[in-house]
Amino acid sequence: MTHPIRPATPADIPALTEIWYQGWHEAHAADVPAALTALRTRDDFTRRLIGFDAGLRVGGPDGAPLGFVALKPDEINQLYVAPSARGTGLAAALMADAEARLAAGGTPIARLDCGLGNHAAARFYARQGWREEGVIEVMLDTSDGPFPLPVRRFTKRLSQ
């Protein structure tokens, strides 16, 4: 199955919100403090999606995306796919698109963070050539201000 990756449109935001909300709660809610889970509402995910602007790319039809990747400088900040798209190659296509965009922007070594309990994502990153560097503490963006959380840091050399 081919997965053309494209810029997100405003019509995609409601579906992306639901993919991220459901995926985040499935992957992280059991492993993070309850205070963080309480802050991760649908409105919070919508606010954060809109904030990615041009850094947000999706796979799937306009208005009905099946997954997304969001970039920040030198970082893959988010990568989620709908349950119906898991195992189809969409996550790998989103990852390849993100890596190519980071490399084209001059990022020699990219980074991404992974929840401590998200072992499926960690295995996916390793299969994509990412190297786990260890646990660090990051400050997450929330509607209530920065929230400290330990995460697994991964890196990947994109250019020589």
Side-chain angles (χ1 to χ4, degrees):
M1 175 182 278
T2 61
H3 296 286
I5 307 303
R6 62 176 176 78
T9 68
D12 294 321
I13 297 300
L16 294 176
T17 295
E18 199 57 31
I19 289 168
W20 197 4
Y21 176 85
Q22 295 294 335
W24 187 93
H25 283 270
E26 175 188 339
H28 302 295
D31 298 317
V32 301
L36 178 58
T37 300
L39 293 168
R40 292 305 193 214
T41 64
R42 283 177 176 84
D43 287 344
D44 180 61
F45 288 112
T46 298
R47 173 188 66 82
R48 293 168 58 215
L49 281 164
I50 292 168
F52 288 118
D53 197 32
L56 183 61
R57 304 222 342 139
V58 302
D62 190 27
L66 297 170
F68 73 93
V69 63
L71 297 183
K72 289 188 174 179
D74 83 345
E75 173 187 13
I76 295 176
N77 186 264
Q78 303 294 329
L79 175 66
Y80 281 85
V81 297
S84 64
R86 292 179 189 159
T88 67
L90 177 58
L94 288 164
M95 178 69 79
D97 178 79
E99 290 174 9
R101 286 187 299 134
L102 288 169
T107 299
I109 299 175
R111 63 186 173 88
L112 63 81
D113 298 327
C114 179
L116 295 181
N118 196 349
H119 305 298
R123 288 189 300 272
F124 170 76
Y125 301 144
R127 285 193 310 272
Q128 300 302 308
W130 290 76
R131 191 176 105 200
E132 187 168 352
E133 300 289 339
V135 175
I136 63 163
E137 185 174 271
V138 296
M139 298 303 285
L140 300 179
D141 173 27
T142 75
S143 58
D144 200 34
F147 192 102
L149 189 72
V151 295
R152 298 159 77 172
R153 169 66 47 96
F154 285 77
T155 62
K156 184 174 184 178
R157 178 166 292 286
L158 301 178
S159 61
Q160 298 302 324

